[in-house]
Amino acid sequence: MTATAPAEEQLWSRCAGCASLLYRKRLLRNLDVCPECGAHARLGAPDRLRQLVDPASFVALADRPADVDPIGFVDVLPYPHRLAAARTGTGLTEAVVCGTATIAGHRVALAVMDFRFLGGSLGCAVGELITRSAERALDERIPLVLVTASGGARMQEGALSLMQMATVSQAVAALREAGVLTVSVLTDPTYGGVAASFATNTDLVLAEAGARMGFAGPRVIRQVTGRALPEGFQTADFLLRHGQVDMVVPRRALRGRLASVLAAAAAGRPPTLPPPAATAPRPQAPSTGTTSVVPESDGIATPGPDEDPWTTVRAARHLARPTTLDYLDAAFDGFVELHGDRLGADCPAVVGGLARVDGRHVVVVGHQKGHTTAELVARNFGMASPAGHRKALRLMRLAARLGLPVVTLVDTPGADPGVRAEEHGQAAAIAENILMMSCLPTPVVAVVTGEGGSGGALALAVADRVLMLRNAVYSVISPEGCAAILWPDRSAAAQAARALRLTAPDLCRLGIVDEVVPEPPGGAQSAPAVAAELLRRAVAANLTPLLDVPPATLVRRRRERFRRYGAARLTGVGVR
């Protein structure tokens, strides 16, 4: 519905769906659903809570994370100014409201997102609050209900916002292991990093009528594919037809449907305690991270920290840069490729199988690009489809069953944003990889060898040790995409690259990356054999200490790693 005055002062509203002029009080009685055409208007978090929970039952979380500006992001406005404007405009402190309440008498923990606040974007504070809600649900053994409305991860917090996908997902994993019900309610819109993590990896996924959900937004898909989108694409009914949600529920029936689900959960056997690996203790503030570099050998150059990030972006994308198959040939021995997701497809953008490194058997999974236009097209430019993510998932589960370590090689501009990928559940496929990797009871070493693009990269990078080649990049969004959204035009991509703090030294200082692997002078493409040897040494050195760690301890430490990216733990952490 559209109107010019504040909601509380409006007498009339015009429906955005059918353009009918509606009496505001009548619209409110109908829960902001147009009585003429059924269009569901977007709700802010306070209104959503009033509709869903029992009167006077909601108790907000008593604590709130500290404000953070972890990378000092500035576009046409400094990030703190954008936060201040969002708080003034919404009356909220962040893009989510969290607490406990009862729904039809059933006690739940709740996290309700608000799209009005910077597009409901997932930043460190939002991730921290939702994670605390999940931890409260685990402590009290009560269901967790997530109401999502988001455009994705928050660009202004760089790769740290990307990490929140893993942080919240592993909190959901702990609830799954403990037998505590988790429910997400998708509202309009739910996209990007939220769709590809906790919005779709809960036990039940409900979609409110009129909701839209997907990994990539319609505008991005049209730009990438140059195709018109099918009628009703990414709508709640589309999601239901393609098996991506449990049910579509009109707003008036939503509270009653949640009550039925909660009653069924309460009638089951009491949740059991999680295994020791599932519950990570609340960690203290982490180290801010110090750049660690593989010891240099003769002729190995390590460019200075002041090198222009846009130069690094272009180096990461160089067509001659070694690919995953190149590294498998030169840095690993005896690679045996395994194909297929066992559900009907074999994505060429993801390769994986059995190999050896320093004589030790491992499972290796990585993105595969190419060196020529024909190879890039055949491999979909390294952009994995849902089948690619499911193939990776199958191979990592095989590794766990065989007791083999996992090595992942990350080199992708992002996950496949095409229509077919959305039809086959791209967001849920990424979400399941992130959740499963947080539980994998075997060592995992991830290496960003070229581009580490958004959720497509994180789907292979929830690891015990995360390494980056010196000329690789890892980011929540491409510089071009960031510039197109926050700057007047895409020509500001170089500025966006600097603002995003996406280089290996920056990410090492932020604690996202553990080690920077040097490259030969001129980059990995100038001496692929030397680059492969450096990668082999780095993988072996980081894998060896993990081999004797008990599986439960591995999982616990991995979860502690990603839990530390919460806002309360980032005070004082920054790159300037």
Side-chain angles (χ1 to χ4, degrees), residues 69-147:
D69 179 16
I71 61 173
F73 190 97
V74 178
D75 48 277
V76 294
L77 283 176
Y79 175 43
H81 292 191
R82 292 193 182 275
L83 281 175
R87 287 168 178 160
T88 300
T90 63
L92 303 177
T93 57
E94 256 299 345
V96 69
V97 176
C98 298
T100 58
T102 59
I103 298 176
H106 300 286
R107 184 168 167 78
V108 298
L110 279 156
V112 181
M113 303 188 77
D114 197 313
F115 191 77
R116 299 173 302 159
F117 195 108
L118 295 181
S121 51
L122 176 63
C124 295
V126 173
E128 175 74 13
L129 288 165
I130 298 174
T131 299
R132 290 186 190 181
S133 295
E135 290 169 347
R136 173 71 67 85
L138 183 62
D139 290 342
E140 299 188 21
R141 299 299 188 271
I142 56 176
L144 174 68
V145 177
L146 305 172
V147 182

Side-chain angles (χ1 to χ4, degrees), residues 163-177:
M163 296 301 105
Q164 303 310 310
M165 295 168 63
T167 300
V168 181
S169 291
Q170 67 187 25
V172 171
L175 289 165
R176 178 185 288 189
E177 292 161 355

Side-chain angles (χ1 to χ4, degrees), residues 211-272:
R212 292 171 298 155
M213 188 277 288
F215 177 63
R219 184 181 68 174
V220 171
I221 297 172
R222 282 192 292 265
Q223 288 175 345
V224 171
T225 65
R227 294 170 52 192
L229 302 181
E231 185 69 26
F233 183 64
Q234 294 183 324
T235 62
D237 290 336
F238 171 94
L239 299 172
L240 187 66
R241 287 197 308 272
H242 288 86
Q244 297 178 39
V245 297
D246 290 283
M247 64 186 83
V248 176
V249 188
R251 184 171 293 166
R252 187 166 289 283
L254 187 55
R255 174 181 155 84
R257 199 60 56 88
L258 283 173
S260 297
V261 167
L262 295 170
R269 61 183 176 83
T272 55

Side-chain angles (χ1 to χ4, degrees), residues 141-189:
R141 299 299 188 271
I142 56 176
L144 174 68
V145 177
L146 305 172
V147 182
T148 62
S150 176
R154 190 170 293 176
M155 292 175 288
Q156 293 92 340
E157 295 183 17
L160 284 164
S161 64
L162 189 65
M163 296 301 105
Q164 303 310 310
M165 295 168 63
T167 300
V168 181
S169 291
Q170 67 187 25
V172 171
L175 289 165
R176 178 185 288 189
E177 292 161 355
V180 177
L181 177 70
T182 57
V183 181
S184 64
V185 179
L186 307 178
T187 74
D188 187 56

Side-chain angles (χ1 to χ4, degrees), residues 25 77 210 270 295 302 327 329 348 355 363 365 435 438 458 501-503 506 526 568 576:
K25 288 186 177 179
L77 283 176
T302 52
Y327 285 121
D329 181 57
V363 168
V365 183
L435 186 145
S438 76
L458 185 64
R501 311 294 183 179
L502 43 65
T503 66
D506 278 346
S526 67
R576 296 290 186 268

